Amino acid sequence: MRTGALAGASGVLLGPALAVEALAANKATGFRLGQHTRKTRVVIDLAGEPTYRVFTLTEPARLLIDLADSDWLVPAGALPDSTGHIARVRYGLLDGGLTRVVLDLTRPARIETAFALSPRDGHAWRLVVDVVDTPARAFRETAGHAHAVVGGPIPETPATTTAAVAPAPSETPETPDPPASAVASPPVPPPEPPPQELPRPMPSILATGTELTAAGAGAAALSQVAFVPVPARKPPPPHKPLIALDPGHGGRDPGAISVHGVYEKDITLAMGRELRRVLVGTGRYRVFMTRESDVSVRLRERVRRAREAGADLFVSIHADAIGNPKVRGLSVYTLSEKASDAEAAALAERENKADIILGMDLQHESHDVTSILIDLAQRETMNRSVSFANALLKELPPDIRTLNHSRRFAGFAVLKAPDVPSALLEMGYLSNATDEKLLRQRAYRAKLAQAVVRSLDRFFTTVQGARLP
């Protein structure tokens, strides 16, 4: 039997103290944060339709999400870092089988919207919560579960399934009111065989609960309340992520030309082949290449091929050139916020919406729903893209030179897949003699490939919470 309790600093406990079975009716399997221009979005993946309550608390400022009868199966390593309004994420179990997610806020915020998205073309249920800035006074006035946003089905309990409902008093004067005994005592049903298994009680997260103070008996009760670790679950089987490698340029497009006449298209293809060799050699990854020879492939076609192959990550490989021959060093690009917003708007306006997000057919959805789903997918993708780019820079050895501002953002077409995390690796500048010399050396490319492998390991195990072979 699973029992537990959790409370924040306010000491609010919810629902009756019920013991429930170890496996809850619902399961939270994923958690993501996304930062927009004016709001922060929280997304929780769930196996079934959630019954939820979302509210804020003060001192310190927190956003709380309660999920009824739900197990928390999100790997601890998959919880995101500080993002937007959210400084830290914690979770635990309350008495009665509630999972509570506590999000420490960086500043006062109000709940702009909270809603559940039903399953669509292979995607499970999702709970979406958006928070925006609010004045400190308004934050204090709207904090507490009295102002909570509540949603989802209210399941029946044994009490509600057996209780009789008294008839409403008639408004017709000819019809007499029922006698008091009839209202107080419902008809007794004929005896039935006892059930083999009693239905599990579902706690109500709509209850106000009891507030404990920091003084007297309340303090003693509160001191015994703490986060309860989620029971360990059998881990999923190892997964070999598919990495799409995109050697830039090719065919009639040579790309940048080095000081000694070396073409960027040849350097990127050589790097792509070396990286494929190292990745496959680990036994942990599968590899797809957008081009394997000196051919020209359009930018959007590169993205299309990677998506159709089912890529888990897209890495475009380039080597730049600039007018100043003294500039050298590696940098990593991800999609810029402005380019992302423009791309999302363009996707939402497309006439053919069947392939915007792989596995989802949006042709029959309204414009508002389409925009929300595209925005969700793209924000999640951008967050994961940034996580990989940061991991790559952390794994570079000291002798690989980087630019002073090596994390960069741009609107490159190859970064615009709404559902595949993508990054563009600028290995260096062919206009610089030192960078050109290094990039022509297989040993240097192998060293860089090893750093990419380490960053992929970090990304998929720590950020994605995956188990690699």
Side-chain angles (χ1 to χ4, degrees):
M1 304 290 283
R2 182 189 65 180
T3 60
L6 176 155
S10 67
V12 178
L13 297 179
L14 302 181
L18 298 176
V20 298
E21 298 174 1
L23 292 179
N26 207 345
K27 295 176 177 63
T29 58
F31 183 92
R32 294 173 299 286
L33 296 175
Q35 184 174 2
H36 297 231
T37 304
R38 54 178 289 273
K39 65 185 177 184
T40 301
R41 171 161 288 174
V42 182
V43 182
I44 301 177
D45 297 321
L46 297 125
E49 182 178 5
T51 298
Y52 59 90
R53 181 175 71 170
V54 185
F55 59 102
T56 56
L57 290 176
T58 60
E59 298 179 357
R62 287 154 291 156
L63 172 70
L64 286 85
I65 302 174
D66 289 336
L67 301 170
D69 201 21
S70 299
D71 276 338
W72 184 265
L73 304 185
V74 182
L79 292 178
D81 296 328
S82 175
T83 303
H85 295 81
I86 310 302
R88 188 164 67 112
V89 181
R90 297 169 285 146
Y91 63 92
L93 301 179
L94 283 162
D95 277 346
L98 299 183
T99 287
R100 169 166 289 183
V101 186
V102 180
L103 300 95
D104 296 331
L105 297 173
T106 59
R107 57 190 183 273
R110 65 175 175 85
I111 302 166
E112 182 180 56
T113 183
F115 58 93
L117 281 172
S118 59
R120 301 166 189 271
D121 302 310
H123 292 262
W125 280 91
R126 283 169 287 177
L127 176 61
V128 181
V129 180
D130 290 338
V131 295
V132 297
D133 285 337
T134 192
R137 180 176 179 180
F139 177 71
R140 291 191 299 270
E141 292 175 349
T142 58
H145 36 58
H147 301 280
V149 179
V150 179
I154 303 177
E156 293 185 343
T157 65
T160 59
T161 56
T162 58
V165 179
S170 174
E171 296 180 1
T172 307
E174 293 81 5
T175 305
D177 291 334
S181 59
V183 176
S185 302
V188 179
E192 296 181 358
Q196 296 297 319
E197 182 180 353
L198 292 176
R200 178 175 55 198
M202 168 75 85
S204 171
I205 66 170
L206 309 182
T208 301
T210 304
E211 293 193 6
L212 301 178
T213 64
L222 182 59
S223 65
Q224 300 175 11
V225 179
F227 280 98
V228 176
V230 175
R233 291 293 187 271
K234 183 178 181 180
H239 168 65
K240 278 189 178 184
L242 178 63
I243 310 302
L245 301 180
D246 174 46
H249 308 282
R252 293 172 296 176
D253 176 15
I257 302 176
S258 79
V259 290
H260 295 104
V262 175
Y263 291 165
E264 179 185 1
K265 67 176 184 178
D266 297 327
I267 294 292
T268 60
L269 183 57
M271 181 62 198
R273 290 170 174 168
E274 179 65 26
L275 184 51
R276 177 179 60 181
R277 182 188 68 82
V278 176
L279 284 170
V280 172
T282 66
R284 298 191 295 274
Y285 299 97
R286 297 170 294 141
V287 175
F288 169 83
M289 294 186 66
T290 59
R291 71 178 183 97
E292 300 188 48
S293 59
D294 186 17
V295 295
S296 178
V297 183
R298 292 185 177 182
L299 298 178
R300 293 283 184 174
E301 175 65 14
R302 296 168 185 261
V303 177
R304 187 193 67 80
R305 291 181 182 182
R307 294 179 70 218
E308 286 194 351
D312 295 291
L313 185 74
F314 181 93
V315 181
S316 192
I317 305 169
H318 288 260
D320 207 353
I322 196 171
N324 185 354
K326 295 182 179 180
V327 176
R328 61 177 297 241
L330 177 149
S331 59
V332 183
Y333 286 84
T334 55
L335 188 64
S336 68
E337 183 81 17
K338 183 176 181 180
S340 170
D341 291 342
E343 182 72 6
L347 289 172
E349 296 297 332
R350 274 175 50 174
E351 182 175 350
N352 179 14
K353 298 182 174 66
D355 63 343
I356 293 176
I357 303 173
L358 286 183
M360 298 182 66
D361 187 351
L362 304 179
Q363 294 188 95
H364 305 294
E365 302 293 351
S366 68
H367 181 273
D368 288 343
V369 172
T370 297
S371 298
I372 289 173
L373 292 173
I374 291 173
D375 183 67
L376 276 172
Q378 195 156 42
R379 295 296 164 176
E380 293 173 20
T381 300
M382 287 180 64
N383 289 340
R384 289 186 287 164
S385 300
V386 169
S387 295
F388 168 70
N390 292 339
L392 176 54
L393 290 173
K394 288 179 181 178
E395 294 297 339
L396 291 175
D399 56 341
I400 291 184
R401 178 82 169 266
T402 61
L403 291 175
N404 289 335
H405 301 286
S406 53
R407 270 294 291 113
R408 301 193 165 200
F409 301 87
F412 296 131
V414 291
L415 300 178
K416 293 184 177 181
D419 47 5
V420 182
S422 306
L424 187 145
L425 171 63
E426 287 281 10
M427 299 180 291
Y429 287 85
L430 293 177
S431 49
N432 177 270
T434 302
D435 275 359
E436 181 221 29
K437 179 180 178 181
L438 290 172
L439 290 172
R440 293 175 66 180
Q441 298 174 4
R442 181 176 179 180
Y444 181 81
R445 296 195 299 268
K447 181 190 300 184
L448 183 55
Q450 291 292 345
V452 174
V453 171
R454 291 192 298 272
S455 67
L456 288 170
D457 290 344
R458 175 194 288 260
F459 173 74
F460 282 105
T461 58
T462 303
V463 177
Q464 299 288 82
R467 290 180 63 229
L468 299 177

